[in-house]
Amino acid sequence: MATDLPAAAPATTRPAGGLAGGPTGGPDGGLKVRPDGVDDSIWAALGTVRDPELDSPITELGFVSAVLSEPAVLTVELRLPTYFCAPNFAYLMVADAYDAVAAVPGVRNLVIRLLDHFASDEINAGVAGGRGFAGSFPGLADDELEELRITFQRKAHRACQEQVASHLVKQGWSVSDLASASLADACAGQDLDRLTRRRNDLNLPSGPDAPLLLHDDGTPITQLDLPLQLRMAKTTRISIEGNSGLCRGLLSVRYNLPRPADVDQVIVSS
């Protein structure tokens, strides 16, 4: 997408639908990604919003800069690792954050404001006005973003499948045996929970009897296809994890935050 975008009005409020009370709650441990005093229900809602490329909640990535509760309006400020982060990904996160927080009981007037981005004005005004992505960039975007969202949901699903399958291999399963495995055979835990959520997002079978390894269209991966499909899925997973570490490192440098403990690379600002 071109970067010479037309100017647009800043974010405005629009009715969201219920109460506005004083926020409660406290900061998280470790790297502080939760602003002080954020109401638990608001933070939980923001935690359902994921970076489509990194497949992680914006609350864990440090993308929530501030949550400001005032009598007339609730304002959520978001930030991204660089000034030129892709505007389609940025729009998805701002729009998803609006929808998630607006659905919290008691929220009346809501502003979701993206900071420090080359298309902040267009994105903020477009989300506030309910224009959609194409309406926010007239003449520059000719389609909405659901196809893009599904593409990245499928990538995340493949990565989750490979992660869960790798646990079974460590327990002694052969790669060929995985073709007959079901979700009931998978190791219980966070990775299986994430895989089940991805299946639900894509309307794929997610019950205990569902095959462990599926193609994007929901058909089981055959024994013959398994080695190649698992190698490709592992590449996807490593790419997602690498991009996540890079983005969190860039964010920490850009906003002078502590470097995340699990980010090895040291990025030196000029």
PDB file of all heavy atoms in Angstrom, residues 55-89:
ATOM      1  N   ASP A  55       0.147 -13.508  15.934  1.00  0.00           N
ATOM      2  CA  ASP A  55      -0.733 -14.443  16.622  1.00  0.00           C
ATOM      3  C   ASP A  55      -0.561 -14.377  18.139  1.00  0.00           C
ATOM      4  O   ASP A  55      -0.507 -15.396  18.828  1.00  0.00           O
ATOM      5  CB  ASP A  55      -0.483 -15.883  16.131  1.00  0.00           C
ATOM      6  CG  ASP A  55      -1.538 -16.852  16.654  1.00  0.00           C
ATOM      7  OD1 ASP A  55      -2.717 -16.456  16.708  1.00  0.00           O
ATOM      8  OD2 ASP A  55      -1.189 -17.990  17.019  1.00  0.00           O
ATOM      9  N   SER A  56      -0.466 -13.166  18.665  1.00  0.00           N
ATOM     10  CA  SER A  56      -0.360 -12.952  20.107  1.00  0.00           C
ATOM     11  C   SER A  56      -1.273 -11.809  20.502  1.00  0.00           C
ATOM     12  O   SER A  56      -1.502 -10.886  19.709  1.00  0.00           O
ATOM     13  CB  SER A  56       1.082 -12.603  20.512  1.00  0.00           C
ATOM     14  OG  SER A  56       1.951 -13.693  20.281  1.00  0.00           O
ATOM     15  N   PRO A  57      -1.805 -11.837  21.735  1.00  0.00           N
ATOM     16  CA  PRO A  57      -2.670 -10.740  22.181  1.00  0.00           C
ATOM     17  C   PRO A  57      -1.904  -9.425  22.261  1.00  0.00           C
ATOM     18  O   PRO A  57      -0.725  -9.397  22.654  1.00  0.00           O
ATOM     19  CB  PRO A  57      -3.119 -11.196  23.575  1.00  0.00           C
ATOM     20  CG  PRO A  57      -2.908 -12.670  23.603  1.00  0.00           C
ATOM     21  CD  PRO A  57      -1.714 -12.923  22.733  1.00  0.00           C
ATOM     22  N   ILE A  58      -2.567  -8.345  21.920  1.00  0.00           N
ATOM     23  CA  ILE A  58      -1.906  -7.041  21.996  1.00  0.00           C
ATOM     24  C   ILE A  58      -1.543  -6.691  23.434  1.00  0.00           C
ATOM     25  O   ILE A  58      -0.624  -5.899  23.667  1.00  0.00           O
ATOM     26  CB  ILE A  58      -2.771  -5.936  21.370  1.00  0.00           C
ATOM     27  CG1 ILE A  58      -4.122  -5.783  22.090  1.00  0.00           C
ATOM     28  CG2 ILE A  58      -2.985  -6.190  19.885  1.00  0.00           C
ATOM     29  CD1 ILE A  58      -4.945  -4.587  21.622  1.00  0.00           C
ATOM     30  N   THR A  59      -2.234  -7.275  24.402  1.00  0.00           N
ATOM     31  CA  THR A  59      -1.905  -7.022  25.810  1.00  0.00           C
ATOM     32  C   THR A  59      -0.577  -7.652  26.190  1.00  0.00           C
ATOM     33  O   THR A  59       0.129  -7.139  27.053  1.00  0.00           O
ATOM     34  CB  THR A  59      -3.013  -7.568  26.716  1.00  0.00           C
ATOM     35  OG1 THR A  59      -3.299  -8.925  26.352  1.00  0.00           O
ATOM     36  CG2 THR A  59      -4.276  -6.744  26.592  1.00  0.00           C
ATOM     37  N   GLU A  60      -0.229  -8.778  25.574  1.00  0.00           N
ATOM     38  CA  GLU A  60       1.050  -9.434  25.873  1.00  0.00           C
ATOM     39  C   GLU A  60       2.192  -8.827  25.079  1.00  0.00           C
ATOM     40  O   GLU A  60       3.352  -8.886  25.508  1.00  0.00           O
ATOM     41  CB  GLU A  60       0.944 -10.932  25.583  1.00  0.00           C
ATOM     42  CG  GLU A  60      -0.016 -11.682  26.493  1.00  0.00           C
ATOM     43  CD  GLU A  60      -0.090 -13.161  26.176  1.00  0.00           C
ATOM     44  OE1 GLU A  60       0.741 -13.650  25.373  1.00  0.00           O
ATOM     45  OE2 GLU A  60      -0.985 -13.841  26.716  1.00  0.00           O
ATOM     46  N   LEU A  61       1.888  -8.254  23.943  1.00  0.00           N
ATOM     47  CA  LEU A  61       2.922  -7.659  23.094  1.00  0.00           C
ATOM     48  C   LEU A  61       3.332  -6.264  23.549  1.00  0.00           C
ATOM     49  O   LEU A  61       4.313  -5.721  23.058  1.00  0.00           O
ATOM     50  CB  LEU A  61       2.428  -7.595  21.645  1.00  0.00           C
ATOM     51  CG  LEU A  61       2.258  -8.937  20.942  1.00  0.00           C
ATOM     52  CD1 LEU A  61       1.461  -8.760  19.651  1.00  0.00           C
ATOM     53  CD2 LEU A  61       3.614  -9.564  20.652  1.00  0.00           C
ATOM     54  N   GLY A  62       2.581  -5.677  24.470  1.00  0.00           N
ATOM     55  CA  GLY A  62       2.886  -4.322  24.920  1.00  0.00           C
ATOM     56  C   GLY A  62       2.308  -3.253  24.027  1.00  0.00           C
ATOM     57  O   GLY A  62       2.735  -2.092  24.071  1.00  0.00           O
ATOM     58  N   PHE A  63       1.313  -3.598  23.198  1.00  0.00           N
ATOM     59  CA  PHE A  63       0.753  -2.646  22.246  1.00  0.00           C
ATOM     60  C   PHE A  63      -0.289  -1.720  22.876  1.00  0.00           C
ATOM     61  O   PHE A  63      -0.727  -0.776  22.225  1.00  0.00           O
ATOM     62  CB  PHE A  63       0.122  -3.372  21.062  1.00  0.00           C
ATOM     63  CG  PHE A  63       1.102  -4.078  20.156  1.00  0.00           C
ATOM     64  CD1 PHE A  63       0.647  -4.816  19.074  1.00  0.00           C
ATOM     65  CD2 PHE A  63       2.468  -3.996  20.369  1.00  0.00           C
ATOM     66  CE1 PHE A  63       1.531  -5.457  18.224  1.00  0.00           C
ATOM     67  CE2 PHE A  63       3.374  -4.645  19.528  1.00  0.00           C
ATOM     68  CZ  PHE A  63       2.895  -5.380  18.450  1.00  0.00           C
ATOM     69  N   VAL A  64      -0.707  -1.989  24.111  1.00  0.00           N
ATOM     70  CA  VAL A  64      -1.654  -1.099  24.792  1.00  0.00           C
ATOM     71  C   VAL A  64      -0.845  -0.081  25.581  1.00  0.00           C
ATOM     72  O   VAL A  64      -0.187  -0.415  26.570  1.00  0.00           O
ATOM     73  CB  VAL A  64      -2.602  -1.872  25.718  1.00  0.00           C
ATOM     74  CG1 VAL A  64      -3.585  -0.911  26.379  1.00  0.00           C
ATOM     75  CG2 VAL A  64      -3.350  -2.949  24.943  1.00  0.00           C
ATOM     76  N   SER A  65      -0.879   1.169  25.150  1.00  0.00           N
ATOM     77  CA  SER A  65      -0.084   2.218  25.777  1.00  0.00           C
ATOM     78  C   SER A  65      -0.765   2.807  27.002  1.00  0.00           C
ATOM     79  O   SER A  65      -0.123   3.086  28.018  1.00  0.00           O
ATOM     80  CB  SER A  65       0.188   3.329  24.761  1.00  0.00           C
ATOM     81  OG  SER A  65       0.886   4.408  25.358  1.00  0.00           O
ATOM     82  N   ALA A  66      -2.082   3.010  26.924  1.00  0.00           N
ATOM     83  CA  ALA A  66      -2.809   3.637  28.038  1.00  0.00           C
ATOM     84  C   ALA A  66      -4.288   3.323  27.908  1.00  0.00           C
ATOM     85  O   ALA A  66      -4.802   3.118  26.811  1.00  0.00           O
ATOM     86  CB  ALA A  66      -2.593   5.154  28.040  1.00  0.00           C
ATOM     87  N   VAL A  67      -4.956   3.289  29.066  1.00  0.00           N
ATOM     88  CA  VAL A  67      -6.407   3.193  29.126  1.00  0.00           C
ATOM     89  C   VAL A  67      -6.870   4.304  30.054  1.00  0.00           C
ATOM     90  O   VAL A  67      -6.531   4.310  31.242  1.00  0.00           O
ATOM     91  CB  VAL A  67      -6.887   1.822  29.640  1.00  0.00           C
ATOM     92  CG1 VAL A  67      -8.408   1.784  29.715  1.00  0.00           C
ATOM     93  CG2 VAL A  67      -6.365   0.697  28.749  1.00  0.00           C
ATOM     94  N   LEU A  68      -7.587   5.268  29.505  1.00  0.00           N
ATOM     95  CA  LEU A  68      -7.951   6.471  30.239  1.00  0.00           C
ATOM     96  C   LEU A  68      -9.464   6.487  30.451  1.00  0.00           C
ATOM     97  O   LEU A  68     -10.234   6.556  29.484  1.00  0.00           O
ATOM     98  CB  LEU A  68      -7.516   7.716  29.462  1.00  0.00           C
ATOM     99  CG  LEU A  68      -6.052   7.707  28.980  1.00  0.00           C
ATOM    100  CD1 LEU A  68      -5.789   8.869  28.044  1.00  0.00           C
ATOM    101  CD2 LEU A  68      -5.105   7.728  30.170  1.00  0.00           C
ATOM    102  N   SER A  69      -9.875   6.419  31.704  1.00  0.00           N
ATOM    103  CA  SER A  69     -11.301   6.401  32.015  1.00  0.00           C
ATOM    104  C   SER A  69     -11.716   7.763  32.543  1.00  0.00           C
ATOM    105  O   SER A  69     -11.232   8.218  33.575  1.00  0.00           O
ATOM    106  CB  SER A  69     -11.596   5.322  33.066  1.00  0.00           C
ATOM    107  OG  SER A  69     -12.963   5.277  33.366  1.00  0.00           O
ATOM    108  N   GLU A  70     -12.616   8.421  31.821  1.00  0.00           N
ATOM    109  CA  GLU A  70     -13.152   9.714  32.225  1.00  0.00           C
ATOM    110  C   GLU A  70     -14.670   9.601  32.293  1.00  0.00           C
ATOM    111  O   GLU A  70     -15.252   8.669  31.721  1.00  0.00           O
ATOM    112  CB  GLU A  70     -12.723  10.791  31.223  1.00  0.00           C
ATOM    113  CG  GLU A  70     -11.206  10.938  31.129  1.00  0.00           C
ATOM    114  CD  GLU A  70     -10.778  11.844  29.997  1.00  0.00           C
ATOM    115  OE1 GLU A  70     -11.584  12.020  29.043  1.00  0.00           O
ATOM    116  OE2 GLU A  70      -9.658  12.374  30.051  1.00  0.00           O
ATOM    117  N   PRO A  71     -15.344  10.513  32.972  1.00  0.00           N
ATOM    118  CA  PRO A  71     -16.800  10.392  33.113  1.00  0.00           C
ATOM    119  C   PRO A  71     -17.541  10.264  31.786  1.00  0.00           C
ATOM    120  O   PRO A  71     -18.510   9.518  31.679  1.00  0.00           O
ATOM    121  CB  PRO A  71     -17.183  11.678  33.849  1.00  0.00           C
ATOM    122  CG  PRO A  71     -15.959  12.053  34.624  1.00  0.00           C
ATOM    123  CD  PRO A  71     -14.800  11.656  33.760  1.00  0.00           C
ATOM    124  N   ALA A  72     -17.083  10.965  30.768  1.00  0.00           N
ATOM    125  CA  ALA A  72     -17.835  10.980  29.510  1.00  0.00           C
ATOM    126  C   ALA A  72     -17.328   9.989  28.480  1.00  0.00           C
ATOM    127  O   ALA A  72     -18.046   9.659  27.532  1.00  0.00           O
ATOM    128  CB  ALA A  72     -17.807  12.382  28.912  1.00  0.00           C
ATOM    129  N   VAL A  73     -16.104   9.489  28.615  1.00  0.00           N
ATOM    130  CA  VAL A  73     -15.524   8.670  27.550  1.00  0.00           C
ATOM    131  C   VAL A  73     -14.422   7.771  28.103  1.00  0.00           C
ATOM    132  O   VAL A  73     -13.695   8.152  29.033  1.00  0.00           O
ATOM    133  CB  VAL A  73     -14.973   9.559  26.411  1.00  0.00           C
ATOM    134  CG1 VAL A  73     -13.835  10.440  26.902  1.00  0.00           C
ATOM    135  CG2 VAL A  73     -14.545   8.733  25.208  1.00  0.00           C
ATOM    136  N   LEU A  74     -14.306   6.597  27.530  1.00  0.00           N
ATOM    137  CA  LEU A  74     -13.191   5.691  27.800  1.00  0.00           C
ATOM    138  C   LEU A  74     -12.282   5.723  26.585  1.00  0.00           C
ATOM    139  O   LEU A  74     -12.736   5.513  25.453  1.00  0.00           O
ATOM    140  CB  LEU A  74     -13.700   4.268  28.046  1.00  0.00           C
ATOM    141  CG  LEU A  74     -12.627   3.202  28.266  1.00  0.00           C
ATOM    142  CD1 LEU A  74     -11.943   3.406  29.626  1.00  0.00           C
ATOM    143  CD2 LEU A  74     -13.235   1.802  28.194  1.00  0.00           C
ATOM    144  N   THR A  75     -10.996   5.996  26.807  1.00  0.00           N
ATOM    145  CA  THR A  75     -10.036   6.083  25.712  1.00  0.00           C
ATOM    146  C   THR A  75      -8.975   5.002  25.877  1.00  0.00           C
ATOM    147  O   THR A  75      -8.379   4.870  26.951  1.00  0.00           O
ATOM    148  CB  THR A  75      -9.357   7.463  25.668  1.00  0.00           C
ATOM    149  OG1 THR A  75     -10.358   8.472  25.516  1.00  0.00           O
ATOM    150  CG2 THR A  75      -8.375   7.549  24.516  1.00  0.00           C
ATOM    151  N   VAL A  76      -8.745   4.248  24.828  1.00  0.00           N
ATOM    152  CA  VAL A  76      -7.679   3.249  24.803  1.00  0.00           C
ATOM    153  C   VAL A  76      -6.668   3.692  23.755  1.00  0.00           C
ATOM    154  O   VAL A  76      -7.032   3.934  22.589  1.00  0.00           O
ATOM    155  CB  VAL A  76      -8.212   1.846  24.458  1.00  0.00           C
ATOM    156  CG1 VAL A  76      -7.057   0.843  24.357  1.00  0.00           C
ATOM    157  CG2 VAL A  76      -9.242   1.388  25.488  1.00  0.00           C
ATOM    158  N   GLU A  77      -5.413   3.823  24.163  1.00  0.00           N
ATOM    159  CA  GLU A  77      -4.355   4.228  23.242  1.00  0.00           C
ATOM    160  C   GLU A  77      -3.472   3.021  22.918  1.00  0.00           C
ATOM    161  O   GLU A  77      -3.014   2.312  23.820  1.00  0.00           O
ATOM    162  CB  GLU A  77      -3.519   5.352  23.851  1.00  0.00           C
ATOM    163  CG  GLU A  77      -4.333   6.633  24.034  1.00  0.00           C
ATOM    164  CD  GLU A  77      -3.514   7.790  24.591  1.00  0.00           C
ATOM    165  OE1 GLU A  77      -2.447   7.520  25.200  1.00  0.00           O
ATOM    166  OE2 GLU A  77      -3.938   8.942  24.417  1.00  0.00           O
ATOM    167  N   LEU A  78      -3.249   2.812  21.630  1.00  0.00           N
ATOM    168  CA  LEU A  78      -2.434   1.703  21.153  1.00  0.00           C
ATOM    169  C   LEU A  78      -1.160   2.233  20.499  1.00  0.00           C
ATOM    170  O   LEU A  78      -1.137   3.336  19.962  1.00  0.00           O
ATOM    171  CB  LEU A  78      -3.218   0.863  20.135  1.00  0.00           C
ATOM    172  CG  LEU A  78      -4.564   0.291  20.595  1.00  0.00           C
ATOM    173  CD1 LEU A  78      -5.196  -0.517  19.472  1.00  0.00           C
ATOM    174  CD2 LEU A  78      -4.404  -0.561  21.845  1.00  0.00           C
ATOM    175  N   ARG A  79      -0.120   1.420  20.545  1.00  0.00           N
ATOM    176  CA  ARG A  79       1.154   1.768  19.915  1.00  0.00           C
ATOM    177  C   ARG A  79       1.700   0.527  19.219  1.00  0.00           C
ATOM    178  O   ARG A  79       1.363  -0.608  19.572  1.00  0.00           O
ATOM    179  CB  ARG A  79       2.151   2.246  20.968  1.00  0.00           C
ATOM    180  CG  ARG A  79       2.464   1.171  22.011  1.00  0.00           C
ATOM    181  CD  ARG A  79       3.212   1.715  23.190  1.00  0.00           C
ATOM    182  NE  ARG A  79       3.402   0.678  24.213  1.00  0.00           N
ATOM    183  CZ  ARG A  79       3.848   0.926  25.442  1.00  0.00           C
ATOM    184  NH1 ARG A  79       4.154   2.162  25.798  1.00  0.00           N
ATOM    185  NH2 ARG A  79       3.988  -0.060  26.308  1.00  0.00           N
ATOM    186  N   LEU A  80       2.556   0.732  18.219  1.00  0.00           N
ATOM    187  CA  LEU A  80       3.129  -0.360  17.449  1.00  0.00           C
ATOM    188  C   LEU A  80       4.648  -0.225  17.406  1.00  0.00           C
ATOM    189  O   LEU A  80       5.192   0.843  17.719  1.00  0.00           O
ATOM    190  CB  LEU A  80       2.544  -0.369  16.036  1.00  0.00           C
ATOM    191  CG  LEU A  80       1.035  -0.648  15.954  1.00  0.00           C
ATOM    192  CD1 LEU A  80       0.532  -0.489  14.520  1.00  0.00           C
ATOM    193  CD2 LEU A  80       0.706  -2.031  16.489  1.00  0.00           C
ATOM    194  N   PRO A  81       5.354  -1.279  17.020  1.00  0.00           N
ATOM    195  CA  PRO A  81       6.815  -1.240  17.087  1.00  0.00           C
ATOM    196  C   PRO A  81       7.484  -0.215  16.194  1.00  0.00           C
ATOM    197  O   PRO A  81       8.549   0.303  16.523  1.00  0.00           O
ATOM    198  CB  PRO A  81       7.223  -2.670  16.674  1.00  0.00           C
ATOM    199  CG  PRO A  81       6.049  -3.511  17.007  1.00  0.00           C
ATOM    200  CD  PRO A  81       4.859  -2.642  16.735  1.00  0.00           C
ATOM    201  N   THR A  82       6.888   0.089  15.035  1.00  0.00           N
ATOM    202  CA  THR A  82       7.497   1.057  14.132  1.00  0.00           C
ATOM    203  C   THR A  82       6.447   2.000  13.561  1.00  0.00           C
ATOM    204  O   THR A  82       5.255   1.708  13.572  1.00  0.00           O
ATOM    205  CB  THR A  82       8.228   0.378  12.948  1.00  0.00           C
ATOM    206  OG1 THR A  82       7.266  -0.118  12.012  1.00  0.00           O
ATOM    207  CG2 THR A  82       9.123  -0.762  13.424  1.00  0.00           C
ATOM    208  N   TYR A  83       6.917   3.104  13.025  1.00  0.00           N
ATOM    209  CA  TYR A  83       6.050   4.120  12.415  1.00  0.00           C
ATOM    210  C   TYR A  83       5.382   3.589  11.153  1.00  0.00           C
ATOM    211  O   TYR A  83       4.309   4.033  10.774  1.00  0.00           O
ATOM    212  CB  TYR A  83       6.907   5.339  12.081  1.00  0.00           C
ATOM    213  CG  TYR A  83       6.166   6.533  11.531  1.00  0.00           C
ATOM    214  CD1 TYR A  83       5.322   7.284  12.337  1.00  0.00           C
ATOM    215  CD2 TYR A  83       6.344   6.933  10.210  1.00  0.00           C
ATOM    216  CE1 TYR A  83       4.661   8.411  11.836  1.00  0.00           C
ATOM    217  CE2 TYR A  83       5.697   8.043   9.700  1.00  0.00           C
ATOM    218  CZ  TYR A  83       4.849   8.780  10.524  1.00  0.00           C
ATOM    219  OH  TYR A  83       4.201   9.880  10.022  1.00  0.00           O
ATOM    220  N   PHE A  84       6.039   2.615  10.479  1.00  0.00           N
ATOM    221  CA  PHE A  84       5.545   2.132   9.195  1.00  0.00           C
ATOM    222  C   PHE A  84       5.012   0.708   9.268  1.00  0.00           C
ATOM    223  O   PHE A  84       5.011  -0.004   8.254  1.00  0.00           O
ATOM    224  CB  PHE A  84       6.662   2.228   8.137  1.00  0.00           C
ATOM    225  CG  PHE A  84       6.954   3.630   7.704  1.00  0.00           C
ATOM    226  CD1 PHE A  84       8.112   4.264   8.110  1.00  0.00           C
ATOM    227  CD2 PHE A  84       6.067   4.321   6.899  1.00  0.00           C
ATOM    228  CE1 PHE A  84       8.380   5.568   7.708  1.00  0.00           C
ATOM    229  CE2 PHE A  84       6.323   5.616   6.502  1.00  0.00           C
ATOM    230  CZ  PHE A  84       7.485   6.248   6.908  1.00  0.00           C
ATOM    231  N   CYS A  85       4.535   0.256  10.412  1.00  0.00           N
ATOM    232  CA  CYS A  85       3.866  -1.042  10.467  1.00  0.00           C
ATOM    233  C   CYS A  85       2.718  -1.060   9.454  1.00  0.00           C
ATOM    234  O   CYS A  85       2.048  -0.047   9.235  1.00  0.00           O
ATOM    235  CB  CYS A  85       3.320  -1.312  11.865  1.00  0.00           C
ATOM    236  SG  CYS A  85       4.580  -1.729  13.099  1.00  0.00           S
ATOM    237  N   ALA A  86       2.486  -2.211   8.846  1.00  0.00           N
ATOM    238  CA  ALA A  86       1.506  -2.318   7.764  1.00  0.00           C
ATOM    239  C   ALA A  86       0.151  -1.757   8.196  1.00  0.00           C
ATOM    240  O   ALA A  86      -0.385  -2.158   9.232  1.00  0.00           O
ATOM    241  CB  ALA A  86       1.357  -3.770   7.343  1.00  0.00           C
ATOM    242  N   PRO A  87      -0.429  -0.837   7.411  1.00  0.00           N
ATOM    243  CA  PRO A  87      -1.697  -0.215   7.819  1.00  0.00           C
ATOM    244  C   PRO A  87      -2.864  -1.186   7.864  1.00  0.00           C
ATOM    245  O   PRO A  87      -3.804  -0.991   8.642  1.00  0.00           O
ATOM    246  CB  PRO A  87      -1.916   0.883   6.775  1.00  0.00           C
ATOM    247  CG  PRO A  87      -1.093   0.480   5.608  1.00  0.00           C
ATOM    248  CD  PRO A  87       0.092  -0.247   6.154  1.00  0.00           C
ATOM    249  N   ASN A  88      -2.829  -2.252   7.043  1.00  0.00           N
ATOM    250  CA  ASN A  88      -3.940  -3.203   7.110  1.00  0.00           C
ATOM    251  C   ASN A  88      -3.931  -3.973   8.433  1.00  0.00           C
ATOM    252  O   ASN A  88      -4.981  -4.156   9.058  1.00  0.00           O
ATOM    253  CB  ASN A  88      -3.915  -4.160   5.914  1.00  0.00           C
ATOM    254  CG  ASN A  88      -2.547  -4.740   5.617  1.00  0.00           C
ATOM    255  OD1 ASN A  88      -1.598  -4.556   6.365  1.00  0.00           O
ATOM    256  ND2 ASN A  88      -2.452  -5.460   4.512  1.00  0.00           N
ATOM    257  N   PHE A  89      -2.736  -4.389   8.899  1.00  0.00           N
ATOM    258  CA  PHE A  89      -2.650  -5.049  10.199  1.00  0.00           C
ATOM    259  C   PHE A  89      -3.040  -4.081  11.314  1.00  0.00           C
ATOM    260  O   PHE A  89      -3.750  -4.443  12.255  1.00  0.00           O
ATOM    261  CB  PHE A  89      -1.233  -5.561  10.461  1.00  0.00           C
ATOM    262  CG  PHE A  89      -0.791  -6.647   9.522  1.00  0.00           C
ATOM    263  CD1 PHE A  89       0.551  -6.882   9.302  1.00  0.00           C
ATOM    264  CD2 PHE A  89      -1.716  -7.431   8.851  1.00  0.00           C
ATOM    265  CE1 PHE A  89       0.973  -7.885   8.443  1.00  0.00           C
ATOM    266  CE2 PHE A  89      -1.314  -8.436   7.984  1.00  0.00           C
ATOM    267  CZ  PHE A  89       0.044  -8.662   7.776  1.00  0.00           C
TER     268      PHE A  89
END
